[in-house]
Amino acid sequence: RLVFVAVTLAWIDWRLMLVSCFTMPFFMIGFASHVRRLRPAHKEMSEDGSRLWAKAAETFSGIRVVKTYGSEKREDLGFMKRVHTMMRKGLLVRKTHHDQAIVWEISAWLGLVALIWFGGHRVMSGDLSPGQLVAFYGLLGLLHGPIAELINVSESVQAAMASIERIGELLDQKAEVADKPNAVEAGALKGEVVFENVGFKYQETARDGQAKEEKRQEQ
């Protein structure tokens, strides 16, 4: 739709299209920079979320130890600090996305002002009919629609791409334990475990030795 509308606008009046879209290149450059900043931010937020829930799972699995040492407040404070850090980063991401939407709105309105000004002059000079100007105005709105949709989905797309990148990093990690290059396949193993000449005793401490010595002296 974006390409079709752009070609139609150029066919109606390419000079009017250039004037009404003069802010578009600057906006697209800013939008590309915005997208490049979003992906690392979402990746960092995803990593923080993983560490947060891993810490929560670790705390609840060891809840008896936490209760024993009375460290509920310390664990709660650490959890809330992680949550606040994620909230601050999330607000910064949303602010960046919102600022980009504001820049787009300003660019779109500047384009409309330029369209009315330049298009009005062309209609008054007879180079453009009022019907063509109205059609151009309606098509320009259709041109802005796909761009606005692209801005709205950019944050979700970058969040998904950051998650995919993290998954790729995990899949690309090499195993810490690996077979030797010339390892031989063991196949089916058969055998049994046998205990022979196995004994057991408690290790004698210095206090036990001292008690035995005192008992021998008494005797």
Side-chain angles (χ1 to χ4, degrees):
R1 187 176 64 178
L2 183 67
V3 175
F4 174 77
V5 173
V7 172
T8 306
L9 290 175
W11 177 74
I12 294 176
D13 193 315
W14 63 271
R15 290 180 294 271
L16 188 58
M17 177 184 176
L18 291 179
V19 171
S20 59
C21 299
F22 76 98
T23 59
M24 194 68 67
F26 304 101
F27 169 76
M28 295 307 296
I29 294 174
F31 180 73
S33 176
H34 164 74
V35 169
R36 286 195 298 268
R37 292 196 306 268
L38 271 183
R39 185 177 300 181
H42 280 291
K43 183 179 179 181
E44 187 176 350
M45 289 178 58
S46 178
E47 293 173 351
D48 290 343
S50 299
R51 287 191 290 265
L52 173 68
W53 297 119
K55 180 62 178 179
E58 178 184 351
T59 302
F60 282 111
S61 62
I63 191 64
R64 292 186 178 180
V65 178
V66 175
K67 290 284 189 180
T68 301
Y69 290 95
S71 56
E72 294 92 337
K73 292 184 178 180
R74 185 183 63 185
E75 295 294 337
D76 181 60
L77 181 61
F79 184 83
M80 293 307 300
K81 285 183 177 180
R82 293 174 184 267
V83 171
H84 290 162
T85 300
M86 289 185 60
M87 289 179 61
R88 286 195 298 269
K89 292 180 179 179
L91 289 175
L92 288 176
V93 170
R94 292 299 303 170
K95 180 180 180 298
T96 303
H97 183 72
H98 184 65
D99 292 343
Q100 186 66 26
I102 293 177
V103 172
W104 164 244
E105 291 291 337
I106 295 174
S107 301
W109 278 107
L110 288 177
L112 291 176
V113 171
L115 168 66
I116 295 173
W117 174 77
F118 187 70
H121 279 282
R122 288 184 61 79
V123 170
M124 293 176 64
S125 63
D127 297 332
L128 192 69
S129 67
Q132 288 177 318
L133 181 61
V134 173
F136 195 97
Y137 178 82
L139 288 173
L140 189 63
L142 294 178
L143 181 67
H144 291 169
I147 300 177
E149 293 174 5
L150 180 64
I151 296 174
N152 291 331
V153 302
S154 62
E155 184 177 3
S156 301
V157 171
Q158 294 308 313
M161 294 300 296
S163 300
I164 293 175
E165 187 176 344
R166 287 199 62 209
I167 294 174
E169 292 176 356
L170 292 176
L171 295 177
D172 292 339
Q173 287 184 355
K174 295 182 179 180
E176 296 181 357
V177 180
D179 295 334
K180 292 183 178 180
N182 57 349
V184 180
E185 185 67 27
L189 300 178
K190 294 182 180 180
E192 57 185 5
V193 179
V194 180
F195 291 89
E196 294 181 353
N197 300 323
V198 177
F200 173 79
K201 70 174 183 178
Y202 289 103
Q203 183 177 1
E204 183 176 330
T205 62
R207 184 175 179 180
D208 295 336
Q210 183 179 0
K212 288 183 179 180
E213 181 65 23
E214 292 177 354
K215 186 177 182 181
R216 185 180 62 81
Q217 291 178 359
E218 291 177 357
Q219 293 176 353

